[in-house]
């Protein structure tokens, strides 16, 4: 088909959960073991084909540090989808996801496609947030739950493709 979709997706979540790492793994295919805190936000785009549709995807990576929280609306405004990322070894970062769900539903309504992403699944021995609990929470708020490792490249391409597929069928 000749359909071309322009989609905007925003990455939100606590500092150091791996938002930038997911974007860089997906778009550039690499991983940096060092944490370089994002300042305000950054942006990359990627072209892909999902379900026969050409997609021009804009990915907005936001800063997780609390001092930047108030900037959120600048970056999530107009988003078709949001990836709410937490670190499976950090229960506090999951609480932050719950807060983002409330804020996004209030600000963007029911049409925004929400994915909750448990990152760092390579750190299985240190996991504190169980898959089952996260899945149940996601279902209860109309979101999709996926797990990833930006480090080991687990589930990352699948995550962005599922997100695009969900936005196409919206
Ligand atoms: P802010 O920009 O401060 O909000 O952080 P962020 O969410 O963008 O985190 P970032 O991608 O910078 O990653 C934080 C740290 O976690 C870095 O040291 C990464 O190398 C590491 N990291 C990211 N993803 C993974 C992962 O899947 N597994 C492991 N083991 N480490 C990861
Ligand atoms: Mg970052």
């Amino acid at each position: 088909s000749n359909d071309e979709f322009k989609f905007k997706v925003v990455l939100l979540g606590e500092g150091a959960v791996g938002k930038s790492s997911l974007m860089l793994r997906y778009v550039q295919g690499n991983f940096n073991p060092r944490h370089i805190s994002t300042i305000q936000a950054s942006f990359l785009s990627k072209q892909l084909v999902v379900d026969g549709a050409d997609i021009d995807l804009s990915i907005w990576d936001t800063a997780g540090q609390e001092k930047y929280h108030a900037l959120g609306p600048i970056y999530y405004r107009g988003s078709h989808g949001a990836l709410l990322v937490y670190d499976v070894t950090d229960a506090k970062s999951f609480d932050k996801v719950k807060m983002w769900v409330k804020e996004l539903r209030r600000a963007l309504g029911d049409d925004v496609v929400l994915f909750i992403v448990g990152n760092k699944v390579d750190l299985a021995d240190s996991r504190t947030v169980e898959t089952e609990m996260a899945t149940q929470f996601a279902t209860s708020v109309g979101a999709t739950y996926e797990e990833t490792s930006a480090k080991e490249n687990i589930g990352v391409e699948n995550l962005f493709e599922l997100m695009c597929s969900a936005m196409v069928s919206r």
Side-chain angles (χ1 to χ4, degrees):
S1 96
N2 292 319
D3 286 347
E4 225 232 346
F5 293 88
K6 285 192 192 304
F7 288 135
K8 174 182 173 183
V9 157
V10 64
L11 284 151
L12 295 163
E14 190 162 287
V17 296
K19 300 177 297 297
S20 299
S21 298
L22 287 167
M23 180 173 80
L24 294 173
R25 168 61 78 189
Y26 180 58
V27 178
Q28 296 178 347
N30 52 32
F31 176 76
N32 185 348
R34 282 188 50 218
H35 179 201
I36 301 162
S37 285
T38 302
I39 306 299
Q40 296 195 4
S42 73
F43 158 90
L44 287 174
S45 64
K46 173 139 173 155
Q47 275 66 48
L48 70 157
V49 180
V50 173
D51 304 336
D54 290 321
I55 295 170
D56 181 358
L57 182 65
S58 302
I59 305 169
W60 284 86
D61 172 31
T62 66
Q65 286 180 289
E66 192 54 38
K67 63 181 173 184
Y68 295 115
H69 185 94
L71 297 178
I74 294 171
Y75 301 109
Y76 64 63
R77 186 174 299 137
S79 292
H80 303 90
L83 298 166
L84 309 180
V85 185
Y86 73 97
D87 170 347
V88 298
T89 73
D90 176 4
K92 254 186 50 236
S93 70
F94 189 76
D95 292 339
K96 188 87 180 192
V97 162
K98 294 181 173 176
M99 197 252 8
W100 278 119
V101 168
K102 279 192 198 149
E103 180 165 342
L104 290 178
R105 286 292 184 219
R106 202 184 312 124
L108 302 178
D110 287 340
D111 280 349
V112 65
V113 178
L114 297 185
F115 273 56
I116 294 171
V117 183
N119 187 43
K120 309 197 187 183
V121 293
D122 56 288
L123 302 176
D125 294 345
S126 316
R127 184 194 270 264
T128 58
V129 183
E130 295 307 324
T131 304
E132 168 119 8
M133 191 276 287
T135 305
Q136 280 177 12
F137 173 73
T139 304
S140 75
V141 297
T144 301
Y145 181 64
E146 291 295 324
E147 296 191 336
T148 55
S149 167
K151 182 181 181 193
E152 300 295 337
N153 196 16
I154 299 166
V156 180
E157 190 159 5
N158 185 52
L159 170 68
F160 284 94
E161 289 182 3
L162 286 173
M163 169 56 93
C164 287
S165 183
M167 293 187 295
V168 166
S169 53
R170 258 285 130 142

